[in-house]
Amino acid sequence: TKIIRWMDYHSPTKTIVTAAWDKLSKLFNHKGQEIKKLVTHAKRVNCCRFMPNGKAVLTGSLDGTLKLTSVDKHEELLSLN
């Protein structure tokens, strides 16, 4: 991972999501171990946020898109330009 621009912590699941300049969003456990790569954008990922239930993550990128991605299934649920 290059520069991490943003992160969010979901307390009930003790999971961290990051937004980084390598165009990736990744999930980590509370010990800092990578769980999985969550979503890829065409340009740097600037921000990320867990949905309140922890089942999806919203990411925003310099490519002008917002992506809502399922945490469990790694499915893109919505993409907005």
Side-chain angles (χ1 to χ4, degrees), residues 1-64:
T1 298
K2 294 186 180 182
I3 296 170
I4 294 176
R5 177 77 173 122
W6 197 273
M7 58 83 55
D8 190 28
Y9 180 70
H10 189 255
S11 183
T13 60
K14 297 182 180 177
T15 307
I16 300 163
V17 62
T18 61
W21 285 5
D22 60 1
K23 306 175 190 174
L24 295 173
S25 180
K26 296 179 183 179
L27 291 176
F28 294 86
N29 65 22
H30 67 284
K31 295 179 181 178
Q33 299 164 322
E34 185 178 322
I35 299 170
K36 68 173 107 173
K37 292 175 180 64
L38 193 59
V39 66
T40 304
H41 282 270
K43 293 187 178 180
R44 294 175 176 172
V45 184
N46 267 351
C47 56
C48 57
R49 181 75 180 193
F50 276 104
M51 295 295 99
N53 64 8
K55 295 184 180 193
V57 169
L58 183 66
T59 55
S61 170
L62 289 177
D63 64 12

